[in-house]
Amino acid sequence: MVPGGPAEKKAEEKHASNEGSINIKNPHFDKMKEDVLYHFGLGTGTHNFPTMFGDVKFVCIGGDTSRMKTFISYIAGQLGIAGPGNEFPNICASTDRYVMYKAGPVLSVSHGIGMPSASIMLHELIKLLHHARCSNVSLIRLGTSGGLGLEPGSVVITKQAVDATFKPQLQQMILGKPVIRSTVLDKELAEQLMECGKELNQFNTVTGNTMCTLDFYEGQARLDGAICLFTQEEKLKYLTAAHEAGVKNIEMESSIVAVMCNQTGIRGAVVCVTLLNRLQGDQINLSREALAELELRPQILVGHFIKKHLSKK
Ligand code: R2B
Ligand code: URA
């Protein structure tokens, strides 16, 4: 199958209608006797995935290891779930690459910074969910970002991730060739999350496009990196054009989240708090306490969504 070609599109349509199961788009996959998820330190030969993860319905991911630990305690408290000895062990403790915590139907996993790191984690996570025979899973990134024209602390729910030219697509290099895939996210899930933001009414919550970049400094038009060969005027012209194209915030993983969820039939969403208004500056000089408070906002919103969803069952 040519990546990004008509056969891939046809397979996508077929998978989308597959009753909420996880679709591994890999004809070689079924021939594997054992699958080692190397960066998680887990494997089908050593761990019973259906027993460990079969009940997972919500997967929340975020860059920071400590944020994902905070989130599992927060959501467990919201759902009234107690961990063993009131602690939630790191399921990936045998590696230092990523952390993973579980409380009932919620899995909390870190992905590091940027799409290469997030992509590796997502490949192994999606295989894990498939091996565990999970179905109807929603995957939500809880992140931080730089805002465009928003008061810092606003929460942005991504409609579509866009690239540095504001197109809703991600170019991946596969077998040395460029493959372009769509980065539109699940519309219904984004709307449900927006509804939760309105119900909470605790902080400014908006929907919009999220620009996903390959770098934090030059890639996000910052003037404060070790290298910068453009002017303040050029920076503002670019960020203003992004804003006019519907970009509300800038971060570094939304596109790969969208692509991998689209390809495998998982409902995906991205919810990020803005730490600063990029039309006004580049440096993030929030205190630890202020940063911790802002980082909680996506957790509060998604916690409300999960609680609401589970109470309907
Ligand atoms: C937001 O914050 C990180 C960079 O500081 C990156 O992971 C992202 O998307
Ligand atoms: N994360 C980013 O990628 N950019 C910002 O400006 C802030 C957080």
Side-chain angles (χ1 to χ4, degrees):
M1 194 186 319
V2 182
E8 182 172 293
K9 290 223 168 65
K10 220 171 176 188
E12 249 168 58
E13 282 158 24
K14 179 173 161 259
H15 286 132
S17 63
N18 210 355
E19 290 292 314
S21 60
I22 312 287
N23 299 297
I24 299 296
K25 286 172 78 172
N26 177 357
H28 312 285
F29 191 70
D30 290 339
K31 293 179 209 131
M32 287 166 61
K33 277 209 187 76
E34 186 180 341
D35 191 10
V36 176
L37 306 184
Y38 167 63
H39 301 86
F40 284 163
L42 302 172
T44 51
T46 45
H47 297 81
N48 186 330
F49 284 22
T51 307
M52 289 173 76
F53 303 108
D55 60 343
V56 169
K57 295 289 176 205
F58 304 95
V59 181
C60 295
I61 65 170
D64 214 270
T65 52
S66 61
R67 195 191 316 147
M68 299 328 288
K69 188 172 163 64
T70 305
F71 178 67
I72 209 66
S73 303
Y74 174 75
I75 195 69
Q78 290 293 306
L79 301 179
I81 297 170
N86 268 336
E87 267 290 313
F88 293 92
N90 174 11
I91 298 167
C92 296
S94 70
T95 84
D96 279 336
R97 298 293 188 187
Y98 305 106
V99 296
M100 180 186 291
Y101 302 97
K102 182 176 181 298
V106 183
L107 203 60
S108 176
V109 195
S110 69
H111 57 59
I113 292 185
M115 288 197 275
S117 176
S119 167
I120 294 166
M121 192 287 280
L122 286 166
H123 273 281
E124 295 188 10
L125 174 66
I126 292 168
K127 293 197 293 170
L128 177 154
L129 296 170
H130 173 82
H131 290 307
R133 295 185 217 109
C134 294
S135 61
N136 296 313
V137 174
S138 298
L139 185 147
I140 308 175
R141 165 166 144 74
L142 315 175
T144 57
S145 62
L148 287 183
L150 293 171
E151 65 179 275
S154 299
V155 171
V156 180
I157 298 162
T158 305
K159 278 190 193 162
Q160 50 185 18
V162 298
D163 65 12
T165 67
F166 322 139
K167 290 198 187 85
Q169 62 183 38
L170 175 68
Q171 177 180 300
Q172 295 175 277
M173 290 303 289
I174 302 173
L175 302 182
K177 295 196 182 75
V179 173
I180 296 190
R181 290 178 171 153
S182 163
T183 51
V184 176
L185 283 150
D186 190 283
K187 192 166 179 276
E188 195 190 14
L189 182 55
E191 283 168 3
Q192 289 170 355
L193 287 163
M194 187 61 209
E195 199 52 40
C196 289
K198 285 188 190 144
E199 283 163 13
L200 282 169
N201 198 23
Q202 279 183 29
F203 33 77
N204 183 33
T205 305
V206 299
T207 58
N209 294 348
T210 296
M211 182 159 77
C212 183
T213 66
L214 302 178
D215 167 51
F216 183 82
Y217 288 98
E218 290 175 284
Q220 295 188 7
R222 278 189 154 80
L223 299 170
D224 62 342
I227 303 166
C228 176
L229 303 177
F230 49 81
T231 63
Q232 156 92 355
E233 290 67 40
E234 286 168 326
K235 165 198 160 172
L236 282 180
K237 193 171 166 205
Y238 177 62
L239 292 184
T240 305
H243 193 213
E244 282 167 1
V247 173
K248 293 263 167 60
N249 63 340
I250 309 172
E251 48 77 273
M252 299 178 62
E253 296 85 14
S254 54
S255 290
I256 196 71
V257 170
V259 162
M260 294 201 60
C261 287
N262 288 340
Q263 295 284 321
T264 56
I266 297 174
R267 294 190 338 143
V270 176
V271 180
C272 291
V273 67
T274 62
L275 302 181
L276 75 171
N277 179 359
R278 286 300 319 290
L279 299 175
Q280 283 171 3
D282 295 333
Q283 293 252 302
I284 301 172
N285 48 18
L286 296 161
S287 68
R288 277 175 70 92
E289 294 74 32
L291 187 59
E293 195 275 312
L294 294 191
E295 283 188 357
L296 272 183
R297 293 183 177 189
Q299 303 191 16
I300 293 168
L301 194 150
V302 172
H304 181 72
F305 167 77
I306 293 175
K307 216 172 151 183
K308 183 174 159 185
H309 204 88
L310 290 174
S311 68
K312 280 190 191 150
K313 304 245 150 198

